[in-house]
Amino acid sequence: QNQGFDSSIAQAKWRGDAIFYQFHGFWFTPLCLQGTQELLNQFKPLSGDVILASFPKTGTTWLKSLLYSIINRSSIDQLARNHPHQLVPQLELQVYGPQWSFAPPNFPSPCTSPSNRIFGTHLPYQIFGKIANSSDCRVVYVARNPKDTLVSFWHMVNTMEMAKRAPWPLEDAVDKFCEGFLPFGPYYEHVLGYQKESIERPKKFFFITYEELQSDTKTHVKKLAEFLGCPFDNEEQVEEVVRSCSIETLRNHEVNKSSDVSEFNPLPLNSFFRKGHVGDHKNYLTKDMIERIDGITCEKFRGLIFKHEAD
Ligand code: A3P
């Protein structure tokens, strides 16, 4: 049975009982595909909307906090009371997803100005592009190096209920990553789709890497603010935003400490704040795994993104 999807949509067994669906070349869980189809039918971005697009585990939560803080400036109270995924809902999961239905499609903006709504999406440009191009909304895309993305994703899956009985072996996670068989995968095509647009249309698409942000957060936060059309007035403002969005600050808020799943997300709230380091893959991946991933990175990115990955 195809869970009510068009019979042309391919399905495949992922792990355990999980079935994934392939839509426009990308893999989806049934719930995300349902949400995606609703979104594609219903969502009309407004011209002031800001969309954060990302592959899972690439820094989405950090960017949500930063975008919210840049746009709303004084955000400390909001960030202390709300999980970043509450402030910036994920379109295909929380807004249009069948299970959580956190907010109706006309979700009132959490931002100070109704023309500055912020949403997140894990949809690739190959699927989301038509919607993004239907208004003057702006899109920020965060990418992260493939090996840390994979390790972070593997950890996340192992925090889920289903993994308590059968933890996900790292070897299988590497195989699935290399095959592109992850939710919203393949990773490489996901990154390339937005990267190309950001080169061709830099006023509409802003491409940033997790590693750039880590290496010089202030400079990149200022660039983000300029791209969003709300540059900072002084350095103190920049410092406040950077501080209030740091992983140390965020993980200490009560709302982010909970290991419960919430009404707006299927994952434990604290699972979004793990280590937040660049290069954590070195603690987990074997030499062979690294060589295998670097080979694919070299071939797919051709040294244009994450140059050091292919060295
Ligand atoms: P690690 O698992 O490597 O620690 P996403 O938000 O896309 O799910 O990505 C989660 C990753 O971003 C996790 O990486 C998490 O620790 C890290 N992260 C979350 N908040 C962060 C922050 N404020 N600053 C830096 N990294 C952060």
Side-chain angles (χ1 to χ4, degrees):
Q1 79 280 35
N2 218 15
Q3 300 223 6
F5 299 123
D6 188 313
S7 58
S8 65
I9 293 179
Q11 55 167 288
K13 198 165 174 206
W14 193 56
R15 59 180 299 264
D17 296 332
I19 299 286
F20 279 11
Y21 292 86
Q22 196 177 35
F23 184 59
H24 292 277
F26 291 84
W27 289 102
F28 289 83
T29 64
L31 288 174
C32 277
L33 183 54
Q34 269 177 276
T36 297
Q37 294 191 327
E38 284 300 308
L39 184 169
L40 294 175
N41 286 333
Q42 295 185 43
F43 182 58
K44 301 259 179 299
L46 302 175
S47 71
D49 283 354
V50 174
I51 313 282
L52 169 69
S54 61
F55 190 81
K57 309 323 287 177
T58 56
T60 316
T61 315
W62 190 13
L63 266 292
K64 283 187 175 183
S65 318
L66 286 171
L67 293 178
Y68 185 87
S69 302
I70 291 169
I71 289 170
N72 294 288
R73 287 300 140 86
S74 189
S75 62
I76 294 176
D77 288 354
Q78 288 295 336
L79 280 171
R81 285 199 300 266
N82 301 284
H83 194 278
H85 288 271
Q86 243 170 322
L87 296 173
V88 180
Q90 202 71 3
L91 283 168
E92 64 282 356
L93 187 72
Q94 296 162 253
V95 182
Y96 292 99
Q99 194 175 9
W100 288 281
S101 177
F102 166 63
N106 60 349
F107 174 71
S109 166
C111 315
T112 46
S113 152
S115 61
N116 267 140
R117 304 185 305 174
I118 321 173
F119 296 107
T121 185
H122 285 322
L123 292 183
Y125 180 78
Q126 293 84 334
I127 295 175
F128 193 70
K130 209 167 156 194
I131 288 190
N133 294 329
S134 69
S135 89
D136 285 337
C137 66
R138 271 170 281 203
V139 180
V140 172
Y141 185 80
V142 59
R144 187 180 192 185
N145 82 74
K147 290 172 289 194
D148 286 346
T149 302
L150 156 66
V151 165
S152 184
F153 187 83
W154 169 69
H155 275 291
M156 179 203 72
V157 170
N158 279 333
T159 65
M160 296 170 97
E161 211 37 54
M162 67 176 200
K164 299 222 166 93
R165 275 168 283 121
W168 193 20
L170 184 58
E171 294 70 20
D172 190 47
V174 172
D175 283 346
K176 294 219 170 17
F177 185 87
C178 292
E179 290 159 16
F181 193 28
L182 294 182
F184 305 100
Y187 158 91
Y188 293 97
E189 279 67 21
H190 202 290
V191 178
L192 286 167
Y194 285 101
Q195 190 250 0
K196 182 166 173 284
E197 295 308 312
S198 73
I199 291 170
E200 288 170 7
R201 292 183 290 158
K203 290 208 166 92
K204 185 172 175 75
F205 292 91
F206 186 94
F207 184 94
I208 187 160
T209 67
Y210 182 89
E211 292 72 16
E212 284 168 338
L213 253 181
Q214 283 278 21
S215 73
D216 185 354
T217 314
K218 267 170 61 179
T219 300
H220 292 287
V221 163
K222 281 193 259 183
K223 284 189 188 166
L224 261 174
E226 277 156 29
F227 169 77
L228 296 170
C230 42
F232 290 99
D233 301 319
N234 54 56
E235 285 295 309
E236 287 70 45
Q237 285 179 345
V238 189
E239 278 157 20
E240 186 189 313
V241 164
V242 170
R243 207 172 30 248
S244 59
C245 297
S246 75
I247 191 163
E248 292 78 21
T249 306
L250 292 176
R251 71 152 65 95
N252 279 320
H253 294 317
E254 277 316 309
V255 63
N256 298 332
K257 281 186 188 167
S258 167
S259 56
D260 295 340
V261 297
S262 68
E263 79 278 16
F264 58 87
N265 203 298
L267 294 164
L269 291 174
N270 60 2
S271 70
F272 292 92
F273 310 95
R274 199 180 62 91
K275 283 191 189 165
H277 295 167
V278 173
D280 187 42
H281 68 266
K282 293 183 192 130
N283 298 317
Y284 299 92
L285 301 179
T286 63
K287 194 166 160 278
D288 285 354
M289 289 170 173
I290 289 175
E291 272 175 22
R292 182 174 170 199
I293 300 168
D294 283 351
I296 302 174
T297 307
C298 183
E299 181 198 322
K300 295 279 186 182
F301 288 167
R302 297 178 186 280
L304 291 173
I305 319 166
F306 302 119
K307 284 188 203 63
H308 57 284
E309 293 296 299
D311 288 347

